[in-house]
Amino acid sequence: MSHNQNILTLDEFTIQQLRMFPKATGELSTLLRDIGLAAKRIYAEVNKSGLANIPGATDTKNVHSEQVQALDVFAHNQLKGVLKNGLSCAGIASEEMENIEVFDDAANNKSKYVVMFDPLDGSSNIDTNISIGTIFGVYRRISETGTPCTMEDFLQPGNKQVAAGYIIYGSSTMLVYATRRGVNGFTLDPSIGEFCLSHPNMQCPTNGDSYSVNQGYWYQYEREIQLFITHCQEKGMSQRYVGSMVADMHRTLLKGGIFLYPATYRKPSGKLRLMYECNPFAFIIQVAGGEAISGTAKIIDIVPECLHQVSPVFIGSKMLVGELKKYLHPGGLHKVYSNPAEIEI
Ligand code: AHG
Ligand code: MN
Ligand code: MN
């Protein structure tokens, strides 16, 4: 197969971005390159997971009381390794670690950024050859560079993210990342081992024809959520739910639609992790023109109280999130009517 010489690799793309900002230090570019390297290692392992005797659960549970899978540990260690060995990251927080890890050495302390990640998203799908992923958010530290990073560097709202992204290990492997300047997607070309720019300037369609929710929890959802889902069904929308947030969000970003993980009777604060899952996707989808809310606030405006906080999340095409809001805040509707005669009493 011949290679298209005009397609930029991830490194070439980030260097091209750097050229536009002569004052930029290049630290974010090297950080993305480091994450890209970990992604390739995880991809290689995920791909041979049936052969290499690595699938399956470990005998430990994580801070969320979920069974830790061997690939969760592998992915966590790869990300931690590249970030610790690199020059751009002062410390990490991971879904698989109770506390932050401060990379306290002279080189890492000089770094501007801290990174939070879900090393392997969709763990329950690992052993069944269904798409899984990695999710990350990058924050500029608040503490002074030159010193070890601290917890306050991590407990920042999502609107402070400098970049956020995900890797999807699917029928092809893709790395998608957003900065405030845009969202770009890179597909791994395994023959050269490089992520190549395949989806420049990604935009989430303003509307979509699928909704994504675990309908099995129907009887645990609040009435307004049930009514919104019914509304989607009455419109003839399709239902799509993989159970890997990365896969469901990748489709939502490309095709439009809405992804919901509401509060349930068993999980009254929701399930998905604010720092490792909701915030990175909320940032990406907003840069791409979509919207992400918790029900009462924009996801990225939530000021976190602890590392492993969870939140309900409703995210996707702007119009569909707008329709959902009418169900969540029926009283609030009156505020947006321009003509009072339209208000039904
Ligand atoms: P993780 O594998 O990192 O624990 O995340 C699983 C998450 C997310 O990927 C997915 O959207 C959700 O859990 C599925 O949960 P349900 O099985 O409750 O629908
Ligand atoms: Mn996850
Ligand atoms: Mn995970």
Side-chain angles (χ1 to χ4, degrees):
M1 195 184 84
S2 65
H3 292 289
N4 184 340
Q5 305 270 312
N6 298 321
I7 294 183
L8 293 174
T9 66
L10 176 63
D11 283 358
E12 286 174 317
F13 179 81
T14 55
I15 290 166
Q16 199 186 58
Q17 301 284 303
L18 257 182
R19 283 167 179 267
M20 295 179 206
F21 294 95
K23 284 192 184 150
T25 58
E27 217 175 304
L28 187 61
S29 304
T30 51
L31 186 120
L32 290 164
R33 190 195 56 204
D34 295 343
I35 291 175
L37 173 60
K40 284 186 254 182
R41 289 178 174 155
I42 299 167
Y43 148 79
E45 209 66 4
V46 165
N47 242 266
K48 62 180 183 204
S49 118
L51 294 169
N53 201 25
I54 53 166
T58 64
D59 50 13
T60 43
K61 290 197 171 173
N62 68 13
V63 61
H64 307 278
S65 305
E66 295 160 343
Q67 203 70 44
V68 176
Q69 305 289 315
L71 264 180
D72 287 321
V73 178
F74 179 85
H76 169 87
N77 288 337
Q78 293 311 315
L79 283 157
K80 175 178 146 179
V82 292
L83 294 170
K84 196 170 181 173
N85 293 332
L87 290 169
S88 314
C89 182
I92 55 167
S94 162
E95 188 187 88
E96 300 302 337
M97 231 170 37
E98 193 164 349
N99 293 312
I100 58 170
E101 179 159 347
V102 178
F103 297 153
D104 186 8
D105 75 28
N108 294 106
N109 286 348
K110 276 192 207 145
S111 313
K112 283 205 283 266
Y113 302 116
V114 296
V115 181
M116 300 209 238
F117 54 81
D118 175 357
L120 220 287
D121 176 66
S123 297
S124 66
N125 286 323
I126 289 176
D127 294 346
T128 51
N129 211 346
I130 293 172
S131 297
I132 50 182
T134 295
I135 313 169
F136 62 92
V138 182
Y139 293 75
R140 183 169 285 116
R141 57 191 291 195
I142 299 169
S143 57
E144 215 176 308
T145 48
T147 64
C149 65
T150 64
M151 184 58 101
E152 68 165 348
D153 298 325
F154 294 89
L155 293 183
Q156 300 191 60
N159 57 30
K160 297 285 185 202
Q161 285 170 109
V162 173
Y166 64 88
I167 298 108
I168 178 165
Y169 312 101
S171 45
S172 61
T173 292
M174 275 189 76
L175 186 154
V176 175
Y177 84 91
T179 62
R180 269 161 224 282
R181 296 161 49 77
V183 186
N184 290 282
F186 302 81
T187 302
L188 182 65
D189 179 344
S191 65
I192 57 168
E194 294 282 357
F195 283 105
C196 299
L197 182 63
S198 52
H199 296 61
N201 192 21
M202 296 167 84
Q203 298 288 322
C204 178
T206 48
N207 208 346
D209 54 17
S210 69
Y211 69 98
S212 187
V213 70
N214 189 334
Q215 203 130 333
Y217 302 149
W218 174 266
Y219 289 105
Q220 293 190 52
Y221 293 143
E222 283 163 346
R223 186 79 190 124
E224 51 269 34
I225 301 297
Q226 294 177 338
L227 288 173
F228 175 72
I229 295 172
T230 306
H231 165 72
C232 293
Q233 292 169 340
E234 282 168 353
K235 287 197 338 177
M237 290 171 70
S238 291
Q239 197 258 356
R240 296 279 183 271
Y241 191 74
V242 174
S244 294
M245 189 188 194
V246 165
D248 284 314
M249 283 308 303
H250 186 60
R251 182 195 57 250
T252 304
L253 175 61
L254 288 175
K255 306 254 187 207
I258 183 167
F259 173 88
L260 309 91
Y261 204 112
T264 62
Y265 177 74
R266 290 207 186 111
K267 293 190 161 94
S269 302
K271 172 186 181 184
L272 296 182
R273 277 59 58 141
L274 178 64
M275 316 299 261
Y276 317 112
E277 296 172 321
C278 303
N279 268 335
F281 274 115
F283 182 86
I284 295 164
I285 215 86
Q286 277 194 211
V287 174
E291 204 173 340
I293 57 171
S294 68
T296 50
K298 278 190 174 193
I299 289 284
I300 58 168
D301 291 340
I302 299 172
V303 179
E305 286 163 18
C306 66
L307 224 40
H308 296 287
Q309 193 164 328
V310 293
S311 172
V313 59
F314 310 101
I315 176 168
S317 296
K318 214 168 191 127
M319 281 175 72
L320 289 168
V321 176
E323 283 173 33
L324 170 70
K325 281 185 195 165
K326 294 179 192 169
Y327 286 84
L328 296 180
H329 311 289
L333 249 189
H334 298 262
K335 292 179 203 140
V336 296
Y337 274 107
S338 50
N339 178 0
E342 286 173 31
I343 302 174
E344 279 179 31
I345 299 170

